[in-house]
Amino acid sequence: MGALGLAPSAEAATKAPFQPPRPSDFRLRGRGAARVLILGGGVAGLAAAYELGKAGYHCTVLEARDRVGGRNLTLRGGDRLTEMGGAAQRAEFGRGQYMNAGPARIAQWMTTMDYCRELGVPLEVFTNTNAEALIYNESAGMDAPVKWRTAKADVYGYISELLAKATDQGALNGRLTADDKERLLSFLADFGAIGPKSGGYAYTGTGRRGYAVDPGAGAQAGTVLGPPPSLSDVLASGVGRSLSFEFGYSQAMLMFQPVGGMDAIPRALAEAVGKGRIRTGAKVTGITDRTGGTRVEYVQNGRTRAAEADYVIAALPPHILARIPHNLGANVQAALGTPVPASTGKIGIEYDGRWWERDENIYGGITNTDLDLATIWYPSYGYHGRSGLLIGYYNFGSAADAYARMTHAQRLRRALDQGAKIHGPRYRRGVTASVSIAWSRQEHIEGGWIGWPDRGAEYRLLNEPQGNVYFCGDWLSHEIAWQHGSFESARKVVTELHQRVLKS
């Protein structure tokens, strides 16, 4: 089949093959699986316990919080969210409404999809990009938001006009053959919806920009939006900067979400691991690597306890691990202190009606803005329901820090005032419930994710075992802030630890 070109080529494989440990791996070796302590019950820690458990490893997960999942957190009516410092919120969302406070989308190529399939987690489409969503850049002097489709039509149209004129006038003769020029001009005519050569390849706008009156029946052909703004105005608006978002490998449609909330993933993992192997409310206070094993101290229910095992998998955020006493050496301590936590925050706002669908035809998707909201997300579930919950901001960096310093009431008021600049006064009306999260203020996590100055010696050091201690998490992957990175890191560590046990 390979010789005939009927078999997939090596280039067609986008994922490294993973073979989970199996009980049969030990049958001819005269020994059983090892004991492993896993520090952290987030996605990476649970995935490591799940995969090792397939071969009979004796895994115990220590999780400081009262729940598993780590940053994978879904908030529903009745849930309580407490921040460092004691501020607390109670979610009053209606039945069927939820807020994915952490991860909220999965690209179809990600390993996360494989675990959803394996664990039986049902999925539905998450609308990451939507032609009806909006772009609004206040600092550029925009008078009103523009629809994504309109911005794309104008940017593509003017770029096509400029390139077509340059091509026709011979500016690219050094790069293009005569046939290439004709092919390029033909492509640009369709790509940018520009006019013919006789009209100077002008971009004047078409139905791609949208309609002031939609096409209907009889004589109602529809009314195309008025002529586009000038090229100078389109460039000044900065809308083109948003368009590259959908080209990102991790952001391109189709994307997915678990039905009913992202926390279906850690719940399924925890069930597969076995709740008897997971200790919540267990804060790690010390890690000691010893010849032939490890010892971990932790506090649970006010009592200091200790657990021993052959190996440790530390799946906590690096800046949290850096504060836990250990004997792994100064180089490890310095490496753990190298990554920088990133600030991020979200607010979920529930309304008594889905006005974004009814009045603006926005069904899912994301509005981009240079306001301190950064983005507004419209729900990809519950269409045409009586109520709906949108993400009023998902912001980062200094904007997230500013919101983190506010009370929840202040965050909501600020979010509504800013959102009204995009959606008008109705954005403030009909709010029935809201919850906000500042990840920098979540105990035992203290950040949305981390960033490496570079993936240099420190990154490589922590990707290797330090004695009997392994490190694991999305922060040791090339897809930081995605569950895919957590799963891939867990698979890497499981493979390396299992091979070591088999050879020992």
Side-chain angles (χ1 to χ4, degrees), residues 167-168 170-185:
T167 301
D168 186 59
L172 301 178
N173 284 353
R175 296 292 304 273
L176 301 174
T177 67
D179 286 343
D180 289 339
K181 290 173 63 174
E182 291 304 315
R183 293 167 183 146
L184 178 57
L185 289 169

Side-chain angles (χ1 to χ4, degrees), residues 131-388:
E132 291 292 307
L134 305 170
I135 301 174
Y136 177 68
N137 295 325
E138 184 180 54
S139 63
M142 292 180 66
D143 295 328
V146 62
K147 287 187 177 182
W148 198 277
R149 70 164 76 249
T150 307
K152 183 181 291 187
D154 291 345
V155 171
Y156 286 13
Y158 279 123
I159 288 175
S160 297
E161 177 184 324
L162 292 172
L163 185 52
K165 288 178 176 178
T167 301
D168 186 59
Q169 294 169 11
L172 301 178
N173 284 353
R175 296 292 304 273
L176 301 174
T177 67
D179 286 343
D180 289 339
K181 290 173 63 174
E182 291 304 315
R183 293 167 183 146
L184 178 57
L185 289 169
S186 177
F187 163 74
L188 293 172
D190 183 65
F191 179 75
I194 58 176
K197 177 177 181 179
S198 60
Y201 300 109
Y203 170 67
T204 58
T206 69
R208 293 185 185 182
R209 302 189 74 241
Y211 284 76
V213 178
D214 288 330
Q220 187 176 320
T223 304
V224 175
L225 288 178
S230 68
L231 168 61
S232 179
D233 287 342
V234 170
L235 294 175
S237 72
V239 295
R241 293 193 299 269
S242 297
L243 301 181
S244 60
F245 163 75
E246 61 186 289
F247 298 147
Y249 188 61
S250 298
Q251 302 287 359
M253 289 293 287
L254 288 173
M255 299 194 79
F256 293 86
Q257 63 183 11
V259 175
M262 189 63 76
D263 65 348
I265 294 175
R267 284 191 283 109
L269 283 168
E271 183 177 350
V273 169
K275 294 184 178 179
R277 299 183 180 275
I278 300 172
R279 301 177 188 174
T280 57
K283 180 182 177 181
V284 175
T285 56
I287 304 170
T288 304
D289 182 48
R290 304 186 296 189
T291 301
T294 59
R295 175 184 170 88
V296 171
E297 293 183 351
Y298 63 98
V299 175
Q300 187 179 39
N301 297 325
R303 294 180 55 190
T304 298
R305 306 170 187 265
E308 297 184 353
D310 300 302
Y311 301 98
V312 160
I313 296 177
L316 299 172
H319 49 287
I320 303 299
L321 280 167
R323 299 203 292 262
I324 298 175
H326 61 79
N327 67 338
L328 301 176
N331 288 343
V332 170
Q333 181 64 22
L336 289 171
T338 299
V340 179
S343 293
T344 183
K346 286 184 180 180
I347 189 168
I349 307 175
E350 184 181 11
Y351 289 87
D352 59 10
R354 301 172 76 94
W355 51 262
W356 53 90
E357 296 173 358
R358 182 186 63 245
D359 301 336
E360 300 191 29
N361 300 321
I362 300 176
Y363 289 81
I366 299 173
T367 280
N368 286 64
T369 177
D370 65 353
L371 299 174
D372 58 20
L373 307 175
T375 56
I376 296 175
W377 292 24
Y378 311 94
S380 294
Y381 68 96
Y383 302 118
H384 291 172
R386 296 181 60 184
S387 62

Side-chain angles (χ1 to χ4, degrees), residues 13-20 488 491-492 495:
T14 59
K15 296 180 183 177
F18 172 68
Q19 177 62 58
E488 285 292 303
R491 285 182 167 188
K492 172 185 175 295
T495 299

Side-chain angles (χ1 to χ4, degrees), residues 35-106:
R35 296 172 300 155
V36 182
L37 285 171
I38 297 174
L39 314 184
V43 170
L46 292 175
Y50 171 63
E51 294 295 356
L52 289 171
K54 292 178 180 178
Y57 281 83
H58 303 285
C59 297
T60 301
V61 179
L62 302 178
E63 168 55 49
R65 294 168 70 92
D66 60 0
R67 60 166 185 86
V68 297
R71 288 164 293 161
N72 184 324
L73 169 64
T74 301
L75 296 171
R76 301 178 182 83
D79 288 341
R80 185 177 176 84
L81 182 68
T82 303
E83 295 185 344
M84 296 167 61
Q89 303 168 57
R90 178 181 171 84
E92 302 292 347
F93 300 142
R95 183 176 181 181
Q97 303 298 330
Y98 63 86
M99 170 190 176
N100 284 324
R105 51 194 167 182
I106 309 168

